[in-house]
Amino acid sequence: MTARLARLGAIGAIVVPIVVLALGAVSIRWFFPQVLPAEWSGEPAHDLLTASVTVRALSSGLLVATWVTVIALFVAWPAAKVLARPGLRWRGIIMALLLLPSVVPPIGLAMGINVALLNLGVEGTTAAVVAAHLVPALPYTVAALAAAFIRHDGRIDQQAASLGAPPSYVLLHVTIPALRGGLAAAAVLTFIVSWSQYLLTLLAGSGRVVTVTMLLFNAVSGGNPSTIGTLALVAIVPVAVLVALVVGPLERTEGAA
Amino acid sequence: MTIRRRLVALVAVLTVVAAACSTGSSPDGSAADRQNVPEVSEWDAVVSQARGQTVRWYLWGGSDSINRFVDETYAPALEERYGITLERVPVADTVDAVNQVLAEKEAGKDRGAVDLIWINGENFKSLKDAGLLRTDWAEEIPNARHVDWDDPSLNLDFGVPVDGAESPWSSAQFQFVYDTARTTEGDLPRSYAQLKDWACANPGRFTYIAPGPGAFQGTRFAKGALFELSGGADQWATFDQARWDEWSPELWAYLNQLKPCLWRSGTTYPKDENELHKLFANDEVDLTITQAAVGPGSLIDEGLVPKTSKAFTFDANSIGDYNYVAIPSNAPNPAAALVLANLILDPAMQALQLDPANGFGLGFGIDAATVTDEDDRKALDDAAASRGTAAAPIDELAASRVSDGAAEYQDLVEQGWRREVAGGT
Amino acid sequence: MTAAAGGATRAWGSVLPATLIVTVPVTYALVQGIGASVGVGVQGADGYSLDAYRRVVASPGFDRSLAFTLWIAAASTFLAVCIGSSIAWLWTTRPGRTRRFDAGIVHLTVSIPHVAWAVALAATLSQSGWLARVTAATGLIDRPDQFPVIVGDQLGLGIIIHIVTKEAAFITIVALPLANRRARALVATAATLGATRFQQFRLVFLPALAPALLPAAVVVFAFGLGSYEPPAILGVSNPRALSVVALDRFRDPDLSRRADAFAISTLLGVITLTVAVALWLWARRWARPAADSSR
């Protein structure tokens, strides 16, 4: 019984704040003590969503996240395949190295990457931001893909090859379809890591590459509540949709081996 | 296997060495290769060079209404009249644009990313002192004839001589805002001394923005108190360490006496205007501030404060000043930047600034008396008259207006406040 | 080269790109940060000096900021590990039909951008936020200042709540594979041996999860120490979290103050390293008795 209450409380703790944001997005002058908005208005949200700055930020964020996902998958695939094999020496060390971006305090990592890009002369470009995002994202891509490879029975690949199929065929028509759940999960995870970045985008992009999270952060000090609510929803909704799409494969990644 | 291992070790060593070596500053760039812009006095040549260019204007992006005003007023005009594309680059803080230019200089970049910056005060001083601004242009552009460059509150920016390195955009004045539904006009404090009594009679119902870099409204509030305590603002126009040493203890004493009566007992302060507006709108405090000539008019339209809000000033020591646009010396499209700076001073454009319906609401940068064109003159007068009922009365504004002090005091006030009042880092 | 050695070389070639992309920038950032903090390549400095560190430590309120930051990181890590492992426990021992939905919520929580979540919490928990308004509607309070201060408070409660909610979900996700594979069987064994549920949780489940929990705890601690968005949005002006102070110095037009920023971030890195090593040593000491008793 307590477990059920705890569960409902936990779900509420996550859902309620998001609903509050949504209410703020479609109202105006929603001041204390109004529990539900007294003045509803879709206009501020509409104006914001159609503003060119918002559209540009959305497309920047999508572009960067997509590039990061594609490159990360490309690079992580061979690594994950190898790491999934039980016998590899130094496996532990490699996994520890891949953990490195997560154990460095984010502010230090972001400042350091900013200086690195500045010295290379590429800071402020979209490519720089993509490169910067790869650093925190890759570990997740590798981990998710490795988990998928672990559950993958490599023998069907071998069978296909022994039946005369060329390696490219095996890859495209046997391995990838078999792994598509894990692949989807890895892609979504990577996309989300890139999409959610704020500090790295700010510093690597020198403020020139503007994503939704950056607009949202600026809105906190300058925008009205409906702007903030709308931008926050724009930041959250794609993530929520993607998560809903891959919950199944994600769960199977964590399920019994 | 050994070869691989060695290769990895080599890469690792190289990385560390590269990092250690390249933390040094980048090689000196060659002397700034300024784009050959025609003399400003040959305006037609400037305009024709600007055609087809894109001007990247870095300005504080924290106000939706200002952003909209820029996008809807200047961008179409630039496109239609001059064939110039306006790219508005929002920055969280003007200092970010300043750092951008400084970093470009350090990296030796002769063609930077910034064409125009909305700037004033300490940020202007940083770039001017570093020699990174194009100078001697602001008084030469055609519409400069409408600017009263003899006025010290215009030709000095926080006490720093402008020297033609920036051109005015608009004017602002520090005002308070109250809610007529909650407070009656007669109860309002009209001086810092009265403010203290009022705040302590209503504990927790007043606060101010923490003075600090980028939070100049807080610094302005503190400076106003300093002016009142020391008997006047004029003496602070020049920097005098002795004067500061004499009066700053009184300032800290005042603010520390005010502290326990503040919202949250002064243990924390809002860090920007938006936070203060939010406290005001949600009935946590009774006063907020604004700098706009239209008072809280645009704030009301944006839904940030209640419809019943109105502006007022103390009887004296309400700091007013101008804000400007400046062109970095490594701007890639200086001709387009010059055209934009000139367009901003166009009387018809200036009239649009003041009209509350357009959402900008800051005052004129030009002197309406210099405008001879009848239609333009009428537009300016109408705009001034239509500031709206939420605005503070013009005579009240004029009577209490004082200039800001010398630039050096800005930092002293901000650092001192952190040390003596907030007790923080 | 034998086939095995050739395979090993191929294996290295496979992991090298990923490993390099990750470790090279991080190493560079670390070395560069340390260098900059002792004055290498910063305007106005010649040669190595600890000036930046002295300036930072001597700045007023530094000790409060340090204590504040450490407190937030430690409290958040502790709570996140407790809650995360508890959720993993409930899921392993009591699988329900709502599992897929719950998993969705957990993954959603982890995935929400920090900026957005901080904003959502502020809107809900502030003194004039939604919870306060509901309380006012019930008549318990009539002014915002009568509602307790949860965000924007001196103890960083709002920040802690932010980090705990997101990171507890993270820990749940990290713990689950181990929970499902190793722990479940061990717990079942312990149950047949007569252990109470709490004993099963503390003495069997948690240690079984340790290989995943410990690195995850270090990750959460590093995040609590050095993340920017939560304290920037939910924090107060005094005391400020060290990450906020660091970014402030980094963006100061006075370039000599930049070294201060790197001094702070190096300090945070050293603290994280210390905690990581301490946890590792503690875990080894803990694990050893089990190895001994297995004889």
Side-chain angles (χ1 to χ4, degrees):
Chain A
M1 190 55 203
T2 16
R4 271 175 105 191
L5 274 176
R7 180 177 165 268
L8 279 171
I11 296 181
I14 306 301
V15 170
V16 163
I18 300 181
V19 171
V20 169
L21 282 180
L23 289 176
V26 295
S27 63
I28 192 167
R29 285 184 271 274
W30 188 31
F31 302 140
F32 186 94
Q34 303 168 26
V35 173
L36 284 179
E39 287 178 63
W40 300 90
S41 167
E43 213 187 291
H46 175 262
D47 287 343
L48 179 68
L49 288 173
T50 49
S52 63
V53 177
T54 318
V55 172
R56 257 184 299 166
L58 251 177
S59 54
S60 281
L62 283 172
L63 185 70
V64 169
T66 309
W67 268 111
V68 172
T69 308
V70 166
I71 298 178
L73 282 175
F74 207 69
V75 172
W77 178 277
K81 193 163 173 192
V82 162
L83 286 172
R85 281 195 244 138
L88 180 71
R89 279 170 62 180
W90 293 39
R91 179 167 173 235
I93 296 208
I94 303 236
M95 307 238 39
L97 280 179
L98 284 174
L99 195 58
L100 213 50
S102 310
V103 300
V104 173
I107 182 85
L109 185 64
M111 293 193 312
I113 290 186
N114 170 278
V115 174
L117 292 169
L118 203 72
N119 283 332
L120 286 171
V122 295
E123 98 297 353
T125 59
T126 311
V129 175
V130 170
H133 284 194
L134 276 175
V135 178
L138 252 182
Y140 290 93
T141 326
V142 173
L145 269 184
F149 269 112
I150 287 177
R151 285 177 300 112
H152 173 66
D153 188 349
R155 286 174 297 179
I156 47 173
D157 303 340
Q158 287 170 357
Q159 270 180 358
S162 68
L163 286 173
S168 55
Y169 184 92
V170 175
L171 182 69
L172 280 175
H173 291 94
V174 181
T175 321
I176 289 185
L179 281 170
R180 68 180 180 282
L183 203 55
V188 162
L189 268 174
T190 314
F191 186 91
I192 288 176
V193 169
S194 169
W195 176 261
S196 313
Q197 290 299 320
Y198 167 71
L199 197 60
L200 258 185
T201 316
L202 176 71
L203 290 182
S206 295
R208 263 176 277 163
V209 178
V210 177
T211 58
V212 173
T213 45
M214 290 175 64
L215 282 186
L216 176 57
F217 191 88
N218 292 347
V220 169
S221 39
N224 58 60
S226 79
T227 310
I228 296 176
T230 312
L231 282 173
L233 284 182
V234 171
I236 294 178
V237 165
V239 162
V241 166
L242 286 175
V243 166
L245 285 176
V246 296
V247 163
L250 277 174
E251 232 210 314
R252 260 176 274 129
T253 309
E254 297 135 15
Chain B
M1 195 60 190
T2 330
I3 297 174
R4 286 287 163 185
R5 206 181 288 168
R6 284 210 202 123
L7 192 63
V8 170
L10 184 65
V11 169
V13 168
L14 282 176
T15 312
V16 172
V17 169
C21 287
S22 62
T23 48
S25 43
S26 319
D28 272 321
S30 51
D33 179 22
R34 285 163 64 122
Q35 192 189 44
N36 275 333
V37 185
E39 278 302 308
V40 183
S41 46
E42 293 168 47
W43 189 245
D44 292 332
V46 173
V47 169
S48 64
Q49 185 181 87
R51 186 162 287 275
Q53 286 186 344
T54 299
V55 57
R56 306 188 78 219
W57 186 6
Y58 279 57
L59 50 79
W60 175 66
S63 164
D64 286 342
S65 57
I66 294 183
N67 295 341
R68 240 189 344 266
F69 178 75
V70 170
D71 293 337
E72 289 169 13
T73 315
Y74 300 121
L78 276 179
E79 187 66 56
E80 284 156 19
R81 291 190 215 178
Y82 300 104
I84 298 175
T85 312
L86 172 61
E87 191 183 322
R88 177 176 60 80
V89 181
V91 287
D93 193 316
T94 304
V95 77
D96 292 338
V98 170
N99 283 340
Q100 173 78 19
V101 178
L102 289 171
E104 284 169 358
K105 176 191 179 186
E106 232 193 283
K109 270 197 180 170
D110 301 325
R111 272 179 76 86
V114 183
D115 288 316
L116 195 71
I117 309 180
W118 182 22
I119 200 170
N120 71 352
E122 69 229 9
N123 291 314
F124 172 67
K125 184 175 192 305
S126 300
L127 284 182
K128 183 164 184 264
D129 286 348
L132 292 176
L133 290 178
R134 196 173 267 269
T135 51
D136 296 326
W137 59 271
E139 294 181 52
E140 310 297 323
I141 55 179
N143 283 330
R145 67 179 187 274
H146 295 305
V147 176
D148 184 6
W149 280 109
D150 291 326
D151 183 355
S153 59
L154 249 176
N155 62 40
L156 291 175
D157 184 357
F158 279 37
V160 176
V162 169
D163 286 343
E166 54 180 8
S167 175
W169 182 6
S170 56
S171 55
Q173 185 169 343
F174 188 87
Q175 304 151 62
F176 292 96
V177 174
Y178 72 106
D179 186 356
T180 52
R182 275 184 258 163
T183 320
T184 51
E185 201 185 334
D187 291 340
L188 295 172
R190 293 289 178 167
S191 70
Y192 283 90
Q194 288 178 21
L195 176 65
K196 188 166 70 165
D197 295 334
W198 183 84
C200 292
N202 303 288
R205 303 296 300 179
F206 176 76
T207 187
Y208 57 94
I209 296 169
F216 72 95
Q217 305 94 327
T219 320
R220 218 150 254 204
F221 171 80
K223 277 197 210 167
L226 180 66
F227 293 170
E228 181 176 304
L229 289 165
S230 63
D234 294 339
Q235 52 181 325
W236 296 95
T238 51
F239 179 63
D240 181 352
Q241 183 70 41
R243 192 177 302 124
W244 171 256
D245 293 337
E246 186 191 341
W247 290 107
S248 55
E250 304 249 346
L251 175 61
W252 310 137
Y254 171 81
L255 290 175
N256 279 318
Q257 285 158 23
L258 183 61
K259 197 167 158 188
C261 306
L262 294 176
W263 173 76
R264 296 273 185 92
S265 313
T267 52
T268 182
Y269 299 82
K271 59 183 182 310
D272 51 54
E273 254 187 63
N274 220 49
E275 227 182 292
L276 184 55
H277 293 329
K278 198 159 142 211
L279 293 177
F280 172 71
N282 283 297
D283 199 22
E284 291 194 59
V285 298
D286 288 328
L287 291 182
T288 183
I289 59 128
T290 183
Q291 309 249 66
V294 296
S298 12
L299 299 175
I300 293 175
D301 288 338
E302 270 183 82
L304 279 170
V305 298
K307 288 191 228 185
T308 41
S309 312
K310 224 169 116 67
F312 74 98
T313 62
F314 288 168
D315 293 330
N317 296 314
S318 159
I319 298 180
D321 71 345
Y322 290 85
N323 51 81
Y324 307 76
V325 288
I327 305 178
S329 51
N330 68 350
N333 305 291
L338 286 167
V339 172
L340 175 53
N342 190 57
L343 178 69
I344 286 172
L345 292 175
D346 182 290
M349 291 285 155
Q350 287 276 322
L352 290 175
Q353 267 172 217
L354 201 48
D355 190 341
N358 295 328
F360 187 53
L362 290 181
F364 296 143
I366 60 173
D367 182 3
T370 62
V371 176
T372 46
D373 181 284
E374 260 190 40
D375 293 330
D376 285 343
R377 192 59 188 275
K378 186 167 184 311
L380 288 168
D381 290 340
D382 284 347
S386 71
R387 287 175 319 134
T389 48
I394 287 228
D395 47 341
E396 193 176 296
L397 284 174
S400 60
R401 187 186 177 100
V402 295
S403 291
D404 206 337
E408 290 83 349
Y409 296 123
Q410 187 85 354
D411 205 40
L412 285 172
V413 170
E414 288 170 359
Q415 299 292 327
W417 184 85
R418 268 228 162 253
R419 224 180 26 243
E420 308 285 340
V421 181
T425 35
Chain C
M1 208 165 32
T2 62
T9 310
R10 255 202 315 280
W12 272 105
S14 302
V15 299
L16 214 54
T19 319
L20 286 181
I21 293 183
V22 165
T23 51
V24 167
V26 175
T27 315
Y28 182 95
L30 287 173
V31 174
Q32 189 283 135
I34 298 175
S37 70
V38 293
V40 177
V42 177
Q43 240 187 30
D46 48 351
Y48 298 100
S49 84
L50 289 176
D51 279 351
Y53 287 96
R54 276 186 220 117
R55 250 198 323 263
V56 164
V57 172
S59 54
F62 171 74
D63 41 349
R64 286 196 69 195
S65 282
L66 180 63
F68 184 67
T69 312
L70 284 174
W71 153 249
I72 288 176
S76 310
T77 309
F78 178 73
L79 286 172
V81 171
C82 289
I83 297 178
S85 50
S86 305
I87 297 179
W89 167 256
L90 287 171
W91 280 6
T92 327
T93 57
R94 252 199 258 246
R97 283 170 307 158
T98 54
R99 180 54 188 278
R100 185 132 162 185
F101 177 78
D102 295 350
I105 296 275
V106 167
H107 280 284
L108 175 66
T109 313
V110 167
S111 314
I112 297 179
H114 283 287
V115 187
W117 187 238
V119 164
L121 284 179
T124 312
L125 299 174
S126 67
Q127 279 184 312
S128 55
W130 192 75
L131 265 188
R133 301 182 196 190
V134 168
T135 317
T138 63
L140 281 170
I141 61 170
D142 25 49
R143 285 195 333 263
D145 64 308
Q146 292 167 324
F147 189 77
V149 183
I150 305 177
V151 300
D153 66 305
Q154 296 286 303
L155 285 174
L157 273 180
I159 305 173
I160 293 177
I161 291 177
H162 174 116
I163 300 180
V164 169
T165 41
K166 299 243 338 167
E167 304 299 319
F170 169 72
I171 297 229
T172 307
I173 293 175
V174 164
L176 270 183
L178 267 185
N180 282 318
R181 276 185 250 136
R182 283 182 61 195
R184 198 184 261 154
L186 289 171
V187 164
T189 314
T192 61
L193 289 175
T196 65
R197 280 179 65 79
F198 187 63
Q199 280 175 326
Q200 295 166 30
F201 177 70
R202 202 170 74 82
L203 301 171
V204 180
F205 191 70
L206 280 183
L209 291 181
L213 278 186
L214 286 172
V218 175
V219 169
V220 173
F221 186 80
F223 181 77
L225 216 52
S227 72
Y228 177 76
E229 294 99 297
I233 298 179
L234 299 167
V236 291
S237 44
N238 173 36
R240 290 192 298 170
L242 283 179
S243 55
V244 175
V245 177
L247 192 69
D248 207 41
R249 299 274 189 272
F250 188 70
R251 290 152 91 174
D252 198 317
D254 180 356
L255 286 178
S256 64
R257 298 236 181 121
R258 269 208 180 184
D260 297 9
F262 287 105
I264 295 178
S265 76
T266 307
L267 180 63
L268 292 178
V270 167
I271 297 177
T272 309
L273 186 63
T274 312
V275 167
V277 169
L279 273 180
W280 185 64
L281 290 175
W282 178 70
R284 277 187 27 167
R285 195 179 58 101
W286 206 30
R288 223 177 282 136
D292 291 341
S293 62
S294 67
R295 271 182 284 139

